[in-house]
Amino acid sequence: METSTAINLLHHKKIAIVGGGPGGLTLARLLQLKGVDVKVYERDFSQASRVQGAIIDLHFDSGLKVIEAAGLLEEFKANYMRGADKYRLLDPKGNILLDDGNQSGATSFGDEKFRPEIDRGALRDILIAALYPDTVIWDSQFLTMQQVGQGWELHFKNGTIATADIVIGSDGYRSQIRPYVTDVKAKYSGATIIQGEIDHPETACPEMYELVDQANLMAMGAGATIAVQPRGDGGLTFYVASMYPENWGATSGIDFNDAEAVHSYLADRFKDWSPVFFSLLEACGQFVLRPLNYFPIDQRWETKANLTLIGDAAHLMPPNGEGVNLAMLDALDLSECLTDPKFSELQEAISAYEKIMFERSADLCRETIEGIADFASPNEESVEELIRMLAGDE
Ligand SMILES: Cc1cc2nc3c(=O)[nH]c(=O)nc-3n(C[C@H](O)[C@H](O)[C@H](O)COP(=O)(O)OP(=O)(O)OC[C@H]3O[C@@H](n4cnc5c(N)ncnc54)[C@H](O)[C@@H]3O)c2cc1C
């Protein structure tokens, strides 16, 4: 790896990044390119210990821009899923409303509207391969930390302790670092997702497998959205979204650890929908309930001297196709601020990053919350609007 010399504020400083998701790993790569001493402490036992979920699309002016800044565009091009940026939209009866829409017709890198999809695991592998060996310390679930002198002493569940001069929390939506930065808590958006994975859809739900055909499939109407996405390993991930009261998981009387109980709820909930959807849901043996939460749009905190947050830990919002892109942009902006010679104090550099991050995420979060019912409880009008958007008419 070609690096420039660690300069100014980060000279002889050790940085601990807690959380090895797209945000944390990107930040580690960008800082290592500048010669900075950085470790990533990740809760997962190993690189292969967890399915990373479905595909994500990177955008020209965010995720792809960062991939380029990280010097990884060729690796990305070798691993992205060609054609997976296509959308297939269905109604609850299984009629296809839109086929092969991709919002722009763009199919090549360099085109501002091109949004190539990549398997989350593949993106993670690319980022890890670009780091110095042993940068990621696996099996490091962060528990607590305390200030020691000018720095931090971090304690992990496996009993290990690490020290660092600067700590960056990139540990996602239930961040354990966040309480050291702010006590602002997440709010419920009104929508909840039931998520499932199908490892062998070609045999478990062949009709749905054919319908998906490596595209993003969405069935919308009658107060629900079922979204199905291909995974890089041939499996499928699906999300069933609806508006539910807060704490619905606890009050619904459904045991979400009992697949049969969930099947029975879904069979009733989707009894008026085409059976092809229930064949998908029935093929799933384990469900995850995800209430969609967000951090308040106007949240602010007092900048800390040697501690900050990026990605979901900083600005959780309901899924809007931007989360990974935002986390990567945070990584780029933070790496640039921390190494910008115009700042003479670390706190000043962190404050400059936080200002950019707050403004950018607030705008997107506002739009997402305003549109949450269109996504989770669509009606004819919202579906028509989505068709126009995916067809590239808006
Ligand atoms: C259902 C759903 C669908 C989505 N679809 C999309 C999409 O299509 N496109 C898109 O851009 N975004 C999507 N998002 C949002 C996206 O997943 C997040 O915004 C993005 O992953 C945030 O990246 P991050 O690096 O901040 O955090 P994360 O990806 O959450 O990574 C956090 C990392 O920290 C680790 N960790 C957690 N706690 C600890 C701890 N205590 N100690 C050490 N490590 C810890 C975790 O294991 C994980 O590796 C979706 C989200 C959901 C819920």
Side-chain angles (χ1 to χ4, degrees):
M1 186 194 302
E2 277 185 35
T3 61
S4 59
T5 318
I7 33 166
N8 304 324
L9 297 172
L10 301 185
H11 197 51
H12 291 315
K13 293 271 196 291
K14 270 167 66 176
I15 299 201
I17 298 174
V18 177
L25 293 172
T26 304
L27 179 62
R29 163 70 178 176
L30 293 167
L31 289 174
Q32 284 190 346
L33 281 176
K34 291 171 188 270
V36 178
D37 179 1
V38 53
K39 292 281 181 213
V40 178
Y41 296 93
E42 166 56 45
R43 177 181 59 184
D44 285 352
F45 285 105
S46 71
Q47 193 166 342
S49 68
R50 181 169 60 99
V51 176
Q52 291 295 308
I55 52 176
I56 36 166
D57 55 321
L58 296 196
H59 309 165
F60 179 81
D61 51 3
S62 50
L64 284 177
K65 177 174 108 171
V66 182
I67 283 286
E68 197 159 6
L72 297 173
L73 193 55
E74 289 314 311
E75 287 79 350
F76 183 88
K77 285 181 179 174
N79 285 282
Y80 83 101
M81 290 168 68
R82 279 179 182 70
D85 53 326
K86 298 272 195 295
Y87 279 86
R88 186 156 295 146
L89 194 62
L90 277 65
D91 70 11
K93 298 293 176 202
N95 300 309
I96 294 181
L97 302 175
L98 176 80
D99 209 3
D100 283 356
N102 81 345
Q103 219 170 330
S104 66
T107 53
S108 56
F109 287 88
D111 187 325
E112 290 185 25
K113 292 184 170 170
F114 185 41
R115 295 182 159 201
E117 299 266 4
I118 188 163
D119 183 81
R120 273 174 200 263
L123 179 62
R124 187 185 221 196
D125 291 346
I126 290 172
L127 290 165
I128 292 171
L131 299 172
Y132 287 121
D134 302 325
T135 299
V136 181
I137 316 291
W138 300 99
D139 185 20
S140 301
Q141 180 171 347
F142 170 85
L143 292 181
T144 60
M145 63 183 183
Q146 67 210 44
Q147 259 189 304
V148 175
Q150 301 294 306
W152 293 97
E153 187 178 87
L154 298 93
H155 296 250
F156 299 95
K157 194 176 173 193
N158 63 6
T160 56
I161 296 173
T163 56
D165 300 294
I166 302 165
V167 174
I168 316 292
S170 57
D171 50 340
Y173 72 114
R174 286 198 184 129
S175 172
Q176 299 297 304
I177 298 288
R178 186 176 164 96
Y180 294 86
V181 176
T182 174
D183 55 10
V184 175
K185 301 273 187 307
K187 294 159 95 166
Y188 179 53
S189 69
T192 292
I193 277 178
I194 302 170
Q195 181 178 340
E197 307 286 336
I198 313 282
D199 290 338
H200 301 289
E202 66 287 7
T203 49
C205 49
E207 209 184 334
M208 178 52 83
Y209 180 67
E210 269 180 40
L211 259 181
V212 171
D213 189 23
Q214 291 300 301
N216 280 283
L217 182 142
M218 277 195 293
M220 302 182 86
T225 288
I226 299 181
V228 193
Q229 294 185 327
R231 297 194 319 232
D233 65 357
L236 294 177
T237 298
F238 66 81
Y239 311 107
V240 180
S242 273
M243 303 301 278
Y244 290 108
E246 194 163 9
N247 299 321
W248 176 71
T251 57
S252 63
I254 304 161
D255 178 359
F256 281 88
N257 294 315
D258 174 356
E260 282 193 14
V262 184
H263 290 153
S264 134
Y265 165 72
L266 293 171
D268 186 52
R269 173 74 182 80
F270 291 101
K271 61 178 182 294
D272 297 329
W273 289 48
S274 160
V276 71
F277 299 115
F278 188 64
S279 69
L280 165 83
L281 307 174
E282 201 182 19
C284 178
Q286 203 179 355
F287 295 89
V288 179
L289 192 70
R290 291 190 190 280
L292 300 182
N293 295 330
Y294 67 102
F295 291 128
I297 291 159
D298 57 357
Q299 65 163 345
R300 292 289 181 276
W301 56 73
E302 210 177 300
T303 298
K304 305 289 175 285
N306 52 7
L307 171 66
T308 190
L309 304 170
I310 64 170
D312 279 7
H315 46 66
L316 174 69
M317 59 186 84
N320 56 5
E322 303 286 349
V324 168
N325 289 277
L326 277 187
M328 293 175 78
L329 265 186
D330 289 349
L332 180 63
D333 288 327
L334 180 57
S335 71
E336 287 183 346
C337 286
L338 288 176
T339 53
D340 188 334
K342 85 175 174 212
F343 299 115
S344 53
E345 296 289 333
L346 204 47
Q347 198 162 6
E348 220 187 314
I350 294 176
S351 169
Y353 150 72
E354 288 177 347
K355 186 168 183 293
I356 303 170
M357 178 272 289
F358 281 134
E359 282 172 14
R360 175 170 57 218
S361 55
D363 287 347
L364 263 165
C365 190
R366 186 174 298 107
E367 271 175 38
T368 308
I369 295 303
E370 284 169 7
I372 194 82
D374 290 340
F375 162 65
S377 183
N379 55 30
E380 254 176 57
E381 205 181 313
S382 48
V383 174
E384 274 169 22
E385 198 181 317
L386 183 68
I387 291 175
R388 283 196 297 276
M389 198 186 92
L390 293 176
D393 297 343
E394 279 185 3

